[in-house]
Amino acid sequence: MFQYKISFVFKEVIIIMGNNQTERAFEEKRLKQTISLAEEQLKQAKEAAEKKKSEIIEAKKDVRENTEHGITSLYTSDGFEALVELSQYINPVTDKIIDYEEEEHKILLLEKMIKSPYFARIDFKFDDEDEFEKIYIGRSSLRKNSYQEMYVYDWRSPIASIFYRFMTGEAFYDAPCGRVTGELNLKRQYEIKNGKLEYFFDSDVQIVDEFLRQLLSQNTTAKMKAIVETIQHEQDVVIRDMENDLLMVQGVAGSGKTSIALHRAAYLMYQGLQTKLSANNIMIISPNSIFEQYISNVLPELGEDNVISSVFEDILSALLNGRKIQSRNDFLENLIVNSKYKEISRNSIEFKTSSFFREILDQFLIDIPRQWIEFEDVYYEGKCVVSRQILKDKILGRTETPLGIKLEQLEDYILEQIFGTGKGRGHKEEKNLIKQEIQKFIKIDIVELYKILFSNEAYFYSLLQNSNLSQGIKSIWEYTRENLEADRLYYDDAIAIAYLYLKIYGTNKYKNIKQVVIDEAQDYYPLQYEIFNLLFSNAKFTILGDMKQTLAKKEDISFYEQIQKILNKKKSSLIMLDKSFRCTNEILNFSLKFIEKSSQIKSFNRNGDSPKVYIADNSEIFIDEIVKEINLCQEKGFQSICLICKTEKNSIYLFNKIKHKLDIQLIKNGSVSDLQGVFILPVYMSKGLEFDAVLICDADSQNYHDEDDKNLLYVACTRALHKLSLFCENEVSPLI
């Protein structure tokens, strides 16, 4: 039975395991012992959790019974004493809740461990020892309480790196105490489901590749899964890097960039007391909300809390006090659709997010208190208590202090001049009236301030240092003025305004963030990285991108040099990942026609069906062919079938044509949906995602015809794991 089951996976395993029932008996015994230990600790954890739950209930009862007087006193003159008394009861409750949550987390890990306690084993002999030690590796650690014996090592532990980085022979790992060397003579991998040993095999390169190939051949799921069993050497280097303040990863489509980023977050949350990060110390910048949802299961699957995640436009909206701005998806929609605004939109964002425009903004910031704030003499009871010149001098001094802070400090200064420094001087109502008057000139409306640049033409051109740029910039200036006058706050303007806000007011909102992970890094502009630097001034950065997947602009490898210069970290590194694991050979080779021939992309060498191009003579045949292909994909058991269109407009059109023929969902700007079944989305929303089958449904000459469209086709094609089909009505795209 065992032999038959393994042969269904790959025959090399039979050679290794088929004649060694002694080894299987040993592994089954070891598995049983491990599960038994986990079950024992689970029982203890549940008992401890119940005890802590009872203690919380009793502690809350004590609060209610003993602090009724204290709570009412909070609103009297004895409020401080009441607060001290109240904290004596509340603090222990908080501590007990934290202890209870820790037990609940332990219960969750142990329940997972009982189903599958480990996935690998290495036999390693330390240089100063005579015998090989059997080291089992799982998603979390398991320790035998009585002897502190490690039964299972967490995949993030230093010694576990040997499994990912070495074949048999000399090996080492870096521990907090220094480098540890020794000899590795066995690497074993397991498939354990619901506590049962399905099979295991001893790894060499050929067999490991076959195992990974088997996993990649499976259908995808609605959400991204953890990949701890198949992390590659080069991926492990990125995950475990602790040296760099700025780690940049240029990875080809399908190289596992997003998975690496999330496993890196889990690794950072595991590290020792000095470097360990909690979930609220890590921020992931996602390209869109669909992507955010897609990755949401990975960290919980690894036994960690989800870290803070945000979409850049949500950060913009928060900085601009919730003011309605153009979304990035709407911006991309306008930029890639064939319209009269395409060129001006592109020129506009490239200019407004450039280092050149940042210099203009910086000069504008210097000029604001000199030219654009109207200071007035402050009168009280008919007497001038503070002159406008004094106010202006106070603002122009202390250049290291942000302008917004200095303006806010003026309020205290003016009140001090009127009422003195004595406690209780002045009536509250009178003070409030004066404060309202002060606010009129110390409160800055950043949007209105920004409008000055595009309403005062003479002043704007005075900021330009290069007259050669003037001709191209004039159309941008006029385009922007028109939009701002109509109260249209476009994406590129929102970025510039956010930069001004941070330079004027600063922010402490993200002061606890110590590590920022930015995925799809190639799609951000220089000024956005300036914003990241201002927002996360205490953080290290992990930047992951692929210059071949850039949308709406052209970038090359030198873009990472720009990022490095802007973020200005002490130690940085750029790591190249040139191996694609996602696509079959056939899909990858087809996709490569859309990028430069010089691009070095290695295939994992998994075979499948060749991509097909369908050309229909009319709309009816076109729709029928798509429906027929979807039905074939469903018959093959594909779980995620994605119809990709160039734009949201095209997606909506196709959805309305096809929705009566089958069960299908439309994913557009603002949508949140599980990526299961059949769905339609625009190409720019597919970034970072993968699907069993991809149907590109508007591959005609009208939609895809110029150099910009090559990147779009490359992105769309490389989303497919197993099957790729392209459909067009009438004339096929010349790029295909």
Side-chain angles (χ1 to χ4, degrees):
M1 181 72 176
F2 169 67
Q3 235 180 18
Y4 174 78
K5 192 164 189 175
I6 297 302
S7 66
F8 186 74
V9 183
F10 43 83
K11 64 183 180 181
E12 286 90 344
V13 178
I14 297 176
I15 299 171
I16 296 170
M17 298 299 304
N19 300 316
N20 199 339
Q21 294 301 321
T22 304
E23 278 292 304
R24 181 168 180 86
F26 170 84
E27 292 293 0
E28 286 183 333
K29 182 180 179 182
R30 180 53 163 74
L31 176 61
K32 187 176 179 181
Q33 291 171 340
T34 305
I35 291 174
S36 177
L37 178 60
E39 288 174 338
E40 181 186 337
Q41 293 189 14
L42 177 62
K43 181 182 176 183
Q44 294 169 358
K46 285 182 175 180
E47 290 172 353
E50 283 300 315
K51 183 180 178 182
K52 286 179 170 52
K53 190 176 180 180
S54 299
E55 290 174 353
I56 292 170
I57 294 170
E58 285 299 315
K60 286 182 175 180
K61 184 179 177 182
D62 285 345
V63 173
R64 287 195 300 271
E65 292 178 352
N66 297 310
T67 60
E68 184 176 354
H69 173 71
I71 292 172
T72 56
S73 300
L74 289 175
Y75 305 98
T76 69
S77 59
D78 299 324
F80 179 76
E81 289 78 8
L83 184 62
V84 172
E85 181 189 353
L86 189 62
S87 66
Q88 293 175 350
Y89 291 95
I90 291 180
N91 290 342
V93 175
T94 304
D95 292 341
K96 292 180 188 298
I97 290 173
I98 293 171
D99 290 343
Y100 174 74
E101 288 174 346
E102 287 177 354
E103 287 296 335
E104 285 292 300
H105 181 68
K106 187 177 179 181
I107 289 169
L108 181 65
L109 292 180
L110 287 166
E111 286 175 342
K112 290 181 178 179
M113 179 161 277
I114 288 169
K115 294 180 180 178
S116 183
Y118 46 80
F119 59 85
R121 165 189 154 189
I122 57 173
D123 288 4
F124 185 72
K125 181 169 69 70
F126 298 87
D127 279 345
D128 56 350
E129 295 184 3
D130 298 324
E131 295 184 358
F132 284 89
E133 183 179 340
K134 296 178 178 64
I135 296 165
Y136 288 81
I137 302 168
R139 296 193 175 194
S140 57
S141 58
L142 181 67
R143 193 184 295 271
K144 196 169 182 179
N145 292 334
S146 55
Y147 305 102
Q148 292 296 298
E149 177 187 351
M150 191 67 80
Y151 245 61
V152 180
Y153 286 82
D154 192 293
W155 67 275
R156 296 166 289 186
S157 63
I159 198 170
S161 66
I162 292 175
F163 170 73
Y164 297 112
R165 298 193 184 188
F166 293 95
M167 300 309 297
T168 54
E170 293 182 358
F172 65 84
Y173 65 93
D174 293 316
C177 60
R179 178 158 290 182
V180 180
T181 57
E183 181 186 352
L184 173 68
N185 79 339
L186 183 138
K187 284 179 65 175
R188 182 168 288 176
Q189 286 188 251
Y190 306 87
E191 181 69 15
I192 301 171
K193 291 183 179 179
N194 296 320
K196 183 182 178 183
L197 179 62
E198 299 284 328
Y199 62 85
F200 65 96
F201 61 92
D202 294 347
S203 312
D204 60 26
V205 175
Q206 182 182 5
I207 292 170
V208 170
D209 282 357
E210 189 59 45
F211 179 67
L212 179 54
R213 194 172 289 111
Q214 193 72 21
L215 289 177
L216 292 170
S217 298
Q218 298 174 6
N219 291 331
T220 187
T221 55
K223 295 186 177 181
M224 179 178 279
K225 297 175 70 177
I227 60 164
V228 290
E229 297 91 343
T230 58
I231 293 172
Q232 304 294 292
H233 176 279
E234 60 273 18
Q235 296 172 332
D236 188 67
V237 170
V238 177
I239 291 169
R240 295 176 187 265
D241 181 273
M242 297 293 291
E243 296 295 319
N244 293 288
D245 304 311
L246 169 61
L247 183 64
M248 299 173 290
V249 180
Q250 162 60 29
V252 302
S255 58
K257 295 185 295 297
T258 302
S259 290
I260 291 168
L262 295 168
H263 286 70
R264 175 163 172 76
Y267 178 76
L268 294 169
M269 294 163 76
Y270 173 83
Q271 283 307 293
L273 294 176
Q274 296 299 317
T275 54
K276 187 175 182 178
L277 304 183
S278 60
N280 63 358
N281 295 139
I282 304 174
M283 166 74 86
I284 293 179
I285 308 295
S286 299
N288 54 58
S289 56
I290 291 291
F291 179 89
E292 222 175 0
Q293 185 186 9
Y294 178 63
I295 66 173
S296 62
N297 268 11
V298 175
L299 286 170
E301 200 175 314
L302 294 170
E304 298 290 354
D305 294 331
N306 258 326
V307 301
I308 304 167
S309 178
S310 187
V311 178
F312 183 77
E313 66 198 64
D314 292 337
I315 295 175
L316 285 183
S317 183
L319 290 173
L320 302 183
N321 295 317
R323 185 169 179 141
K324 184 174 176 59
I325 63 174
Q326 182 190 36
S327 71
R328 181 174 179 271
N329 285 338
D330 284 343
F331 161 73
L332 289 171
E333 179 80 12
N334 291 338
L335 205 57
I336 65 177
V337 74
N338 298 320
S339 71
K340 61 179 181 178
Y341 296 109
K342 180 178 180 178
E343 185 176 355
I344 186 64
S345 296
R346 169 172 291 195
N347 292 341
S348 179
I349 193 166
E350 286 184 353
F351 170 67
K352 292 175 191 167
T353 57
S354 67
S355 58
F356 178 71
F357 190 65
R358 192 261 303 157
E359 291 172 4
I360 291 175
L361 293 175
D362 287 342
Q363 183 57 53
F364 180 49
L365 285 163
I366 295 172
D367 291 345
I368 287 170
R370 300 177 186 274
Q371 298 186 49
W372 304 111
I373 296 178
E374 294 184 8
F375 294 97
E376 298 178 2
D377 296 335
V378 179
Y379 286 84
Y380 181 68
E381 295 182 344
K383 180 183 178 182
C384 180
V385 293
V386 185
S387 71
R388 69 181 72 181
Q389 190 58 50
I390 289 175
L391 294 176
K392 191 170 185 176
D393 289 344
K394 282 190 168 294
I395 294 300
L396 294 178
R398 295 180 295 120
T399 55
E400 72 281 357
T401 305
L403 173 61
I405 304 298
K406 289 192 287 187
L407 286 169
E408 289 173 357
Q409 290 171 347
L410 283 185
E411 181 178 274
D412 292 333
Y413 176 75
I414 294 170
L415 291 173
E416 183 181 315
Q417 301 307 304
I418 295 174
F419 299 109
T421 58
K423 184 178 180 181
R425 298 289 296 271
H427 297 291
K428 186 177 179 181
E429 294 81 6
E430 189 179 12
K431 275 189 174 180
N432 287 337
L433 287 172
I434 294 172
K435 283 182 178 181
Q436 289 175 17
E437 290 299 312
I438 296 172
Q439 287 291 317
K440 290 179 180 179
F441 71 86
I442 71 167
K443 197 68 177 177
I444 294 177
D445 186 324
I446 306 292
V447 177
E448 292 302 315
L449 194 67
Y450 179 73
K451 286 181 179 179
I452 293 172
L453 284 172
F454 297 95
S455 58
N456 191 316
E457 190 171 5
Y459 174 69
F460 179 83
Y461 277 94
S462 74
L463 298 176
L464 298 179
Q465 301 297 315
N466 190 339
S467 59
N468 295 329
L469 297 172
S470 299
Q471 188 60 41
I473 290 173
K474 184 172 177 61
S475 58
I476 296 172
W477 188 88
E478 292 174 345
Y479 169 75
T480 307
R481 181 190 62 182
E482 181 184 326
N483 292 329
L484 292 174
E485 286 179 351
D487 279 331
R488 293 191 293 266
L489 195 53
Y490 281 2
Y491 186 66
D492 50 355
D493 292 310
I495 294 170
I497 293 167
Y499 176 78
L500 287 175
Y501 176 90
L502 290 170
K503 295 292 283 189
I504 291 172
Y505 287 107
T507 182
N508 289 319
K509 184 177 180 180
Y510 302 104
K511 64 181 180 181
N512 292 327
I513 300 296
K514 296 178 181 178
Q515 181 73 225
V516 177
V517 178
I518 303 176
D519 205 355
E520 303 297 338
Q522 74 282 349
D523 288 333
Y524 297 100
Y525 292 81
L527 193 62
Q528 289 174 290
Y529 283 100
E530 297 279 3
I531 290 172
F532 291 141
N533 201 30
L534 293 169
L535 287 171
F536 311 110
S537 56
N538 300 325
K540 297 180 179 181
F541 286 82
T542 301
I543 308 288
L544 307 103
D546 179 14
M547 297 303 139
K548 306 301 179 188
Q549 296 185 64
T550 306
L551 298 183
K553 60 177 182 154
K554 294 291 184 183
E555 296 291 359
D556 56 33
I557 205 75
S558 65
F559 188 63
Y560 292 109
E561 295 177 7
Q562 294 186 58
I563 296 173
Q564 185 178 11
K565 185 178 179 181
I566 293 168
L567 298 181
N568 192 30
K569 298 299 179 181
K570 288 182 180 179
K571 194 168 183 180
S572 63
S573 178
L574 174 61
I575 295 176
M576 312 291 286
L577 300 178
D578 59 0
K579 194 171 189 177
S580 178
F581 296 93
R582 178 186 299 135
C583 304
T584 62
N585 282 335
E586 291 79 7
I587 293 173
L588 182 62
N589 289 333
F590 181 87
S591 305
L592 292 178
K593 70 171 66 179
F594 305 119
I595 60 176
E596 293 88 346
K597 299 294 183 185
S598 59
S599 301
Q600 297 296 314
I601 299 181
K602 300 175 184 175
S603 170
F604 182 64
N605 198 27
R606 180 171 64 89
N607 294 319
D609 296 333
S610 296
K612 292 183 179 179
V613 180
Y614 297 89
I615 306 171
D617 294 331
N618 57 63
S619 178
E620 187 177 343
I621 296 174
F622 174 72
I623 296 298
D624 286 345
E625 288 293 334
I626 292 174
V627 172
K628 188 187 298 181
E629 185 71 0
I630 292 169
N631 290 332
L632 287 172
C633 290
Q634 290 176 324
E635 288 174 10
K636 289 188 175 183
F638 293 151
Q639 299 298 307
S640 60
I641 304 166
C642 182
L643 281 62
I644 296 181
C645 297
K646 183 178 181 181
T647 63
E648 185 177 286
K649 181 181 178 182
N650 289 3
S651 299
I652 294 170
Y653 173 81
L654 179 62
F655 176 75
N656 290 328
K657 287 283 187 179
I658 208 169
K659 64 182 181 182
H660 306 297
K661 297 179 179 289
L662 45 80
D663 185 13
I664 189 169
Q665 56 179 324
L666 173 66
I667 297 175
K668 55 182 182 177
N669 191 25
S671 297
V672 178
S673 178
D674 282 339
L675 301 175
Q676 286 284 80
V678 186
F679 42 89
I680 303 174
L681 51 71
V683 63
Y684 51 81
M685 291 187 69
S686 72
K687 299 288 289 290
L689 308 178
E690 61 184 29
F691 317 104
D692 291 331
V694 168
L695 283 64
I696 300 174
C697 296
D698 51 3
D700 53 70
S701 57
Q702 183 178 348
N703 283 293
Y704 297 97
H705 54 270
D706 60 26
E707 286 297 311
D708 292 344
D709 295 327
K710 285 185 176 181
N711 277 25
L712 294 173
L713 283 171
Y714 178 69
V715 169
C717 291
T718 54
R719 300 309 94 198
L721 274 82
H722 311 305
K723 189 169 183 61
L724 173 65
S725 304
L726 297 91
F727 297 84
C728 60
E729 192 175 345
N730 298 317
E731 189 177 356
V732 67
S733 164
L735 304 177
I736 297 172

